[in-house]
């Protein structure tokens, strides 16, 4: 196993939309088993980075190496998922007409051949669904139509859909957006639990949440890597304060960062 | 005790309509004249198409306006066999009229009933699979999919009109006499073909039920909700959609084969705009994503159509249009939705009565 290296590295990724560069020669790496937070002002390119990792967008230049395999930028979307990249979207993407349990059931057979999908979920798979339901705290809501869930519950369900697939790398785009304080705490704990067995990349705006749960933070700005390091160091970095607060106001006030980023 | 009674009631609500329908369909040969029985048989072939379209549109969200094409292909495949059987050692009449003196090579295999029956299923299914693969791979969705299926249907229709020596042109394939040696006009043949149609409909319905209960069924509904999400869960929607489209095409093909055996004619008009749109109306009126609804829808709409068009041939089209608009606006879930609402209020009322006597420990 290539445990020593990095699960994902992105080299010189550039994405332009009509001449505007959403990513500009970005280099980015995550190690095996790492929990990494990605921050940056609106439009910094955070979602776009997830888009090129998952294949939603093709980069104009650049290379992606996943789990020791180069050329991943050319793989189809579903191949990347089968290789072990799972993604939670910025707006909760669940299937509203299916029940909570059925949503998990839909996620479970992703490595099966089409005709194998014709059998109903097996006992082992039912067990996995139950385990995941209790892990995401939706055990009592299994038979509810997912469209009727609260915003926070939808976010958890989507995390559950990824979790049941046991990805090697999990990408979470603003998992606590729109959540109440208590829901955030629950999610933070869930996140730490999830990160025990895999690499996780979390995009998050909520600096309070980042401070509580992050170790290493990467800051993105105008499609480039601005800085990277432990939360405390990043928060007091004058460049970070400047991009969040604008030039001329770099007084190094930590609270300001949290405020502006929300 | 109460839950047991509720279970029985749920079972009645889910299986009751089905049992009733099966019973009525099996009794029909004893109750109906040959003429009416053939008419019902025709409606049942439409119901087979409707089940396929329900899998495709109701469950998976792909509104095909081209099911008439696959229906016609199945009917033509079977029709070629029936025509050769009717012509005996001679060349089919329309070929003689168009100046052919030998049977075209591609007609030869259709002397075999086995080939014809297989072709009636496989040709439409493969054709749907190929069209589907190309269309879905280009990520064509929604209304563009509908337009493309409609356009292809019309193109093939025109092709069939233009190739009179090989297809019978505008008249299509008609003047049939026997099937596997039995006279088509004979009472026993009619009853036999009718019963075969009922059995095929039952099999098609059960296939639908099976798929809907499987993990594939979950994914079909998932694709209707959010196809991109399905892709980012690691599935290839192109394959899943192609499979369903081919399946629905195959179902329409079998239906076409049963249709020509009992109605005695297939013409390119089946590949016109009207039939394919009517098929959508059957499904919508019966209730999408219910499988049983579209069956009932196909039978009722066509029954209304033939009773009305016997009496008032001119107003039928307006009636169908008005009915469709009315139902879609007032009852978007069709007949099945109305039945479900009535059933729910029935359950709620008796449930309320029971909970007075015996409060349930876990109200859901
Ligand atoms: N499909 C697209 N077409 C054109 N421009 C795009 C597209 N997707 C993203 N952009 C632009 O690229 C830039 C980066 O967007 P991105 O969504 O990656 O930012 P982000 O860091 O996720 O921001 P936020 O915090 O608001 O989610 C933005 O200016 C955005 O307008
Ligand atoms: Mg974003």
């Amino acid at each position: 196993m290539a445990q020593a290296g990095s699960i994902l590295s992105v080299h010189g990724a550039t994405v332009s939309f009509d001449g505007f560069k959403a990513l500009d020669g970005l280099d980015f790496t995550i190690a095996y088993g790492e929990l990494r937070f990605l921050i940056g002002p609106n439009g910094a390119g955070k979602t776009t980075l997830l888009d090129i990792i998952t294949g939603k967008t093709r980069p104009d230049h650049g290379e992606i190496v996943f789990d020791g395999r180069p050329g991943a930028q050319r793989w189809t979307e579903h191949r990347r998922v089968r290789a072990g990249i799972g993604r939670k979207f910025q707006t909760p993407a669940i299937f509203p007409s299916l029940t909570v349990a059925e949503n998990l059931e839909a996620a479970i057979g992703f490595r099966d051949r089409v005709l194998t999908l014709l059998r109903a979920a097996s006992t082992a798979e039912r067990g996995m669904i139950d385990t995941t339901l209790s892990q995401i705290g939706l055990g009592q809501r299994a038979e509810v139509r997912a469209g009727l869930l609260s915003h926070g519950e939808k976010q958890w369900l989507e995390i559950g859909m990824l979790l049941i697939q046991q990805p090697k790398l999990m990408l979470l785009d603003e998992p606590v957006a729109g959540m109440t304080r208590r829901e955030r705490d629950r999610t933070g704990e869930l996140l730490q639990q999830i990160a025990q067995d895999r690499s996780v990349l979390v995009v998050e705006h909520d600096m309070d949440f980042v401070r509580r749960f992050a170790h290493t933070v990467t800051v993105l700005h105008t499609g480039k890597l601005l800085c990277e390091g432990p939360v405390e160091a990043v928060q007091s970095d004058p460049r970070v304060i400047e991009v969040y607060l604008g030039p001329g106001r770099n007084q190094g006030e930590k609270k300001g960062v949290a405020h502006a980023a929300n | 005790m109460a839950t047991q009674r509720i279970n029985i009631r749920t079972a009645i609500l889910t299986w009751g309509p089905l049992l009733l329908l099966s019973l009525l369909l099996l009794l029909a040969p004893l109750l109906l004249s040959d003429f009416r029985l053939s008419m019902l048989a025709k409606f049942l072939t439409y119901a087979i198409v409707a089940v396929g379209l329900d899998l495709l549109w109701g469950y998976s969200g792909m509104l095909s306006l081209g099911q008439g094409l696959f229906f016609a292909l199945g009917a033509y495949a079977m029709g070629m066999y029936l025509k050769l059987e009717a012509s005996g050692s001679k060349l089919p009449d329309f070929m003689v009229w168009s100046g052919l003196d030998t049977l075209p090579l591609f007609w030869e295999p259709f002397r075999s009933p086995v080939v014809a029956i297989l072709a009636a299923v496989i040709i439409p299914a493969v054709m749907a699979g190929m069209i589907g693969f190309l269309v879905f791979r280009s990520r064509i969705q929604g209304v563009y999919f509908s337009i493309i299926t409609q356009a292809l249907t019309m193109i093939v229709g025109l092709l069939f009109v233009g190739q009179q020596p090989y297809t019978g042109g505008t008249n299509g394939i008609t003047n049939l006499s026997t099937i596997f040696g039995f006279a088509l006009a004979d009472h026993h043949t009619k009853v036999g073909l009718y019963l075969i149609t009922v059995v095929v409909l039952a099999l098609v319905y059960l296939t639908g039920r099976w798929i809907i209960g499987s993990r594939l069924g979950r994914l079909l509904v998932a694709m209707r909700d959010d196809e991109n999400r399905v892709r980012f869960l690691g599935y290839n929607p192109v394959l899943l959609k192609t499979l369903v489209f081919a399946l629905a095409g195959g179902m329409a093909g079998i239906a076409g084969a049963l249709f020509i055996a009992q109605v005695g004619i297939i013409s390119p008009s089946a590949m016109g705009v009207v039939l394919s749109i009517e098929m959508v109306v059957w499904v919508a009126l019966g209730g999408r994503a219910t499988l049983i609804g579209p069956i009932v829808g196909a039978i009722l709409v066509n029954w209304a159509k033939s009773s009305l068009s016997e009496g008032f041939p001119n107003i039928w089209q307006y009636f169908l249009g008005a009915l469709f608009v009315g139902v879609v606006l007032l009852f978007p879930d069709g007949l099945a939705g109305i039945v479900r609402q009535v059933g729910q209020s029935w359950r709620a009322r008796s449930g309320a009565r029971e909970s007075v006597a015996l409060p349930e420990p876990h109200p859901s």
Side-chain angles (χ1 to χ4, degrees):
Chain A
M1 273 193 143
Q3 289 294 357
S6 45
I7 178 123
L8 175 85
S9 47
V10 175
H11 302 289
T14 300
V15 174
S16 29
F17 297 111
D18 304 322
F20 168 78
K21 285 187 175 162
L23 290 183
D24 191 359
L26 180 72
D27 291 316
F28 180 79
T29 312
I30 307 180
Y32 281 95
E34 186 181 351
L35 169 60
R36 173 78 64 85
F37 276 69
L38 182 63
I39 65 169
N42 290 108
K46 305 181 295 292
T47 299
T48 308
L49 175 59
L50 299 197
D51 285 347
I52 65 161
I53 298 173
T54 52
K56 189 156 187 263
T57 305
R58 304 267 151 153
D60 303 320
H61 305 288
E63 159 118 38
I64 297 175
V65 183
F66 178 71
D67 203 14
R69 282 177 282 174
Q73 74 278 6
R74 286 187 296 271
W75 299 354
T76 58
E77 297 92 328
H78 56 271
R79 181 170 167 206
R80 298 185 205 211
V81 182
R82 289 176 196 177
I85 304 178
R87 173 182 187 177
K88 201 202 89 57
F89 285 81
Q90 190 162 347
T91 46
I94 42 99
F95 305 118
S97 345
L98 295 177
T99 66
V100 171
E102 285 171 345
N103 266 274
L104 295 177
E105 197 182 333
I108 222 170
F110 72 120
R111 285 204 177 93
D112 288 1
R113 313 189 128 268
V114 174
L115 291 179
T116 338
L117 292 172
L118 280 172
R119 78 175 161 67
S122 66
T123 325
E125 286 168 339
R126 296 249 153 260
M128 281 166 72
I129 291 173
D130 286 342
T131 314
T132 308
L133 279 172
S134 54
Q135 207 172 351
I136 56 175
L138 294 180
Q140 300 296 316
R141 309 280 274 157
E143 302 307 322
V144 177
R145 271 192 201 294
L148 302 176
L149 294 178
S150 74
H151 181 78
E153 288 172 325
K154 282 182 187 164
Q155 302 268 40
W156 288 335
L157 175 56
E158 197 183 353
I159 292 176
M161 287 159 74
L162 300 189
L163 213 47
I164 208 165
Q165 298 191 329
Q166 302 283 348
K168 293 178 184 161
L169 170 65
M170 203 147 145
L171 311 169
L172 304 169
D173 203 346
E174 306 199 16
V176 298
M179 281 191 175
T180 63
R181 175 81 200 196
R182 277 193 50 205
E183 287 173 333
R184 280 167 203 239
D185 292 347
R186 273 278 298 124
T187 310
E189 286 158 22
L190 181 61
L191 232 147
Q192 287 180 323
Q193 203 186 322
I194 291 169
Q196 282 169 5
D197 310 319
R198 57 181 56 80
S199 315
V200 180
L201 173 62
V202 187
V203 172
E204 196 42 79
H205 268 312
D206 181 347
M207 281 308 290
D208 190 40
F209 185 79
V210 173
R211 263 194 299 273
R212 288 180 52 204
F213 295 100
H215 306 279
T216 319
V217 178
T218 299
V219 187
L220 220 58
H221 180 51
T222 61
K224 294 201 239 347
L225 203 123
L226 189 68
C227 74
E228 199 166 85
V231 199
E232 304 75 29
V234 162
Q235 263 188 310
S236 49
D237 189 314
R239 288 172 302 172
V240 177
I241 293 159
E242 177 159 329
V243 304
Y244 271 102
L245 296 180
R249 293 180 58 189
N250 46 350
Q251 304 305 318
E253 203 196 335
K254 287 177 191 173
K255 265 182 142 172
V257 175
H259 185 72
N262 267 314
Chain B
M1 262 3 73
T3 46
Q4 207 165 8
R5 234 181 303 157
I6 286 167
N7 281 342
I8 293 170
R9 209 173 287 129
T10 317
I12 291 175
L13 277 174
T14 40
W15 294 104
L18 205 64
L19 283 175
L20 191 70
L21 187 65
S22 316
L23 203 68
L24 280 177
L25 290 181
L26 288 175
L27 286 178
L30 303 175
L31 305 174
L32 297 180
S33 68
D34 275 8
F35 174 70
R36 292 287 166 197
L37 190 69
S38 290
M39 218 156 89
L40 181 57
K42 180 169 93 175
F43 302 164
L44 295 187
T45 67
Y46 289 155
I48 296 172
V49 181
V51 171
L53 185 56
D54 196 27
L55 285 174
L56 194 61
W57 179 41
Y59 286 95
S60 323
M62 294 175 266
L63 177 54
S64 164
L65 293 180
Q67 293 315 94
L69 169 60
F70 308 119
F71 181 78
L73 288 176
Y76 270 96
M78 192 65 197
M80 285 160 82
Y81 163 74
L82 294 174
K83 189 69 192 172
L84 288 173
E85 194 180 332
S87 312
S89 56
K90 292 202 285 289
L91 206 58
D93 47 15
F94 65 83
M95 292 186 187
V96 178
W97 302 332
S98 351
L100 286 192
D101 43 24
T102 51
L103 192 69
L105 208 58
F106 76 94
W107 271 70
E108 283 295 343
F110 288 88
R111 289 190 188 283
S112 150
V114 179
V115 169
I117 291 171
L118 287 179
V121 184
I122 292 172
I123 291 177
V126 168
M127 179 120 174
M130 286 185 334
I131 296 172
F133 184 74
L134 294 175
V135 168
F136 301 137
R137 201 185 50 168
S138 325
R139 306 212 174 162
I140 292 168
Q141 298 176 6
V143 69
Y144 298 100
F145 172 73
S146 308
I147 292 170
I148 284 181
T149 48
Q150 173 79 91
L152 282 172
T153 307
M154 283 163 62
I155 290 169
V156 178
L158 287 175
L159 199 75
F160 273 56
V161 171
Q163 298 297 316
Q164 168 142 355
Y166 309 107
T167 62
T170 318
N171 297 331
I173 294 184
T174 182
N175 293 330
L176 310 173
S177 55
T178 56
I179 179 164
F180 316 136
F182 301 103
L184 286 171
D186 187 73
H187 169 72
H188 293 103
T189 316
K190 282 183 192 257
V191 172
L193 285 172
Y194 169 82
L195 289 176
I196 291 173
T197 309
V198 173
V199 169
V200 171
L201 175 60
L203 290 177
V204 163
Y205 172 80
L206 291 175
T207 308
R209 269 270 94 90
W210 175 40
I211 291 174
I212 291 319
S214 72
R215 291 175 301 159
L216 179 62
R218 304 281 172 271
L219 287 169
L220 298 184
V221 177
M223 283 194 298
R224 186 185 69 195
D225 278 356
D226 187 346
E227 183 180 333
N228 242 335
R229 197 27 177 149
V230 172
R231 183 172 285 123
F232 288 104
L233 275 182
Y235 298 94
N236 185 356
V238 178
L239 284 187
L240 300 179
K241 291 168 87 171
T242 302
L243 183 77
V244 188
F245 194 38
L247 188 75
M251 287 178 175
I254 309 175
L258 290 165
F259 175 90
I260 191 168
Q262 298 175 92
V263 179
I265 178 167
I266 184 72
S267 77
S269 67
M271 291 178 273
V273 180
V274 178
L275 182 61
S276 289
I277 290 184
E278 280 185 12
M279 290 169 171
V280 171
V281 173
W282 308 333
V283 176
L285 282 180
R288 274 174 293 164
T290 58
L291 290 181
I292 186 89
I295 295 178
V296 175
I299 298 173
L300 283 187
V301 171
N302 283 291
W303 171 75
K305 175 180 179 172
S306 59
S307 344
L308 277 174
S309 56
E310 278 166 25
F312 322 90
N314 295 325
I315 64 156
W316 152 247
Q317 307 265 354
Y318 298 103
F319 176 75
L320 180 72
L323 192 68
F324 182 60
V325 172
V327 168
V328 166
L329 289 180
L330 298 176
F331 306 102
D333 294 327
L335 285 174
I338 297 174
V339 171
R340 201 180 306 132
Q341 269 172 16
V342 171
Q344 261 161 13
S345 61
W346 177 40
R347 243 181 298 191
R349 236 182 303 133
S350 41
R353 225 186 305 128
E354 266 150 23
S355 64
V356 175
L358 186 86
E360 277 184 65
H362 297 294
S364 53

